[in-house]
Amino acid sequence: MRVHVVSDVHGNSRDLAAAGEGADALVCLGDLVLFLDYADHSRGIFPDLFGSENAGALVELRTARRFEEARALGRRLWGEFDHTGASRESVIEEAVRRQYAELFAAFPAPTYATYGNVDIPRLWPEYARPGTTVLDGQRVEIGGRVFGFVGGGLTSPMRTPYEISDEEYAAKIEAVGEVDVLCTHIPPEVPELCYDTVARRFERGSAALLHAIRTTRPRYSLFGHVHQPLARRVRIGGTECVNVGHFNATGTPYVLQW
């Protein structure tokens, strides 16, 4: 059995279309949307609206953890945009819909997917075709092994679209229970798995996920979210914890074979 796993696709539909080649199934751990590319400031919804120079300024502020200044920049730019008469919510949703139409069309069958923190879950049912199964706080059997899926991220200063409370996240982890492969968007709360060496900050990992790994001992904990982690793999007891990679940049899936 061969399963390919991707995360943090961020608009890379070209490589996504080939990500399932040679695999019995594709697993996607979310973040399909590209709002702002930290490496290429000309790519994403934000620069399409406000230009790459403003996108670069926003990246610089966020990287320096000057979140209030970053939000002030956003408010100013949206204020200048508001004269068009279109609401920011409708403009963003239209752009997200264009990306989702292209990305969901690239999924092979079967695909098992969960949400990332920048995704908009309420839109997924409109784009998920037959052969794509969306799971969040749920389990599924793939090739004789039980996979559990928990999507989204935890609340953070970034205020991305699908952030939930620690309590809600812990409840989804508990609902999944004992599985062979625990699939999440965010990592367990382990410092070397949560630190992004390029953004120079800790992303939020889950304490509930770490507790589940220690108590239920899945074979694998697979996740993404941190694009350039200090460590890509950490072993916790009998569990191999793996950041499956920043698919937007690499275009290469992680391979799980048994």
Side-chain angles (χ1 to χ4, degrees):
M1 190 72 187
R2 183 182 175 102
V3 173
H4 289 180
V5 188
V6 301
S7 186
D8 299 87
V9 176
H10 293 302
N12 188 352
S13 58
R14 181 194 62 188
D15 291 323
L16 185 62
E21 291 179 3
D24 297 291
L26 179 71
V27 166
C28 179
L29 305 182
D31 270 11
L32 296 181
V33 173
L34 180 61
F35 187 75
L36 178 61
D37 192 322
Y38 277 54
D40 182 350
H41 304 159
S42 68
R43 299 180 64 241
I45 294 171
F46 189 90
D48 285 349
L49 293 171
F50 303 117
S52 57
E53 185 175 339
N54 284 318
L58 185 64
V59 168
E60 184 177 345
L61 290 170
R62 285 182 172 181
T63 301
R65 303 188 63 81
R66 293 157 58 187
F67 295 116
E68 285 302 326
E69 292 175 67
R71 282 192 281 273
L73 173 61
R75 285 192 296 270
R76 178 177 65 79
L77 293 172
W78 279 111
E80 295 171 0
F81 185 87
D82 284 345
H83 73 276
T84 63
S87 72
R88 67 188 67 183
E89 291 80 10
S90 64
V91 169
I92 291 174
E93 182 170 316
E94 182 182 349
V96 170
R97 284 181 176 278
R98 287 195 297 270
Q99 291 188 15
Y100 277 166
E102 189 173 336
L103 290 158
F104 276 90
F107 278 144
T111 291
Y112 301 90
T114 196
Y115 316 113
N117 60 293
V118 303
D119 286 312
I120 303 177
R122 65 179 174 80
L123 297 182
W124 281 35
E126 297 181 39
Y127 296 95
R129 304 179 302 171
T132 297
T133 303
V134 179
L135 303 116
D136 189 17
Q138 297 160 291
R139 303 147 54 101
V140 68
E141 186 177 313
I142 305 173
R145 289 189 176 177
V146 179
F147 284 62
F149 290 80
V150 174
L154 297 173
T155 52
S156 77
M158 305 295 282
R159 299 182 182 177
T160 50
Y162 189 44
E163 294 182 353
I164 60 177
S165 70
D166 291 61
E167 293 76 17
E168 185 178 351
Y169 195 89
K172 292 197 293 184
I173 291 286
E174 185 175 1
V176 165
E178 293 188 17
V179 296
D180 298 303
V181 185
L182 187 49
C183 298
T184 58
H185 178 66
I186 63 174
E189 193 179 55
V190 176
E192 55 264 44
L193 296 175
C194 295
Y195 187 73
D196 191 308
T197 60
V198 174
R200 301 194 303 276
R201 66 168 179 261
F202 285 97
E203 301 288 355
R204 287 211 62 193
S206 169
L209 174 57
L210 178 59
H211 177 72
I213 290 168
R214 287 173 170 162
T215 56
T216 67
R217 297 180 295 229
R219 293 172 185 260
Y220 292 93
S221 165
L222 305 180
F223 49 87
H225 187 56
V226 184
H227 293 176
Q228 297 88 199
L230 190 61
R232 295 197 176 274
R233 304 173 77 101
V234 167
R235 195 161 186 86
I236 300 174
T239 302
E240 190 76 14
C241 302
V242 183
N243 184 317
V244 300
H246 180 202
F247 188 77
N248 170 265
T250 68
T252 304
Y254 174 76
V255 177
L256 190 63
Q257 198 162 359
W258 67 93

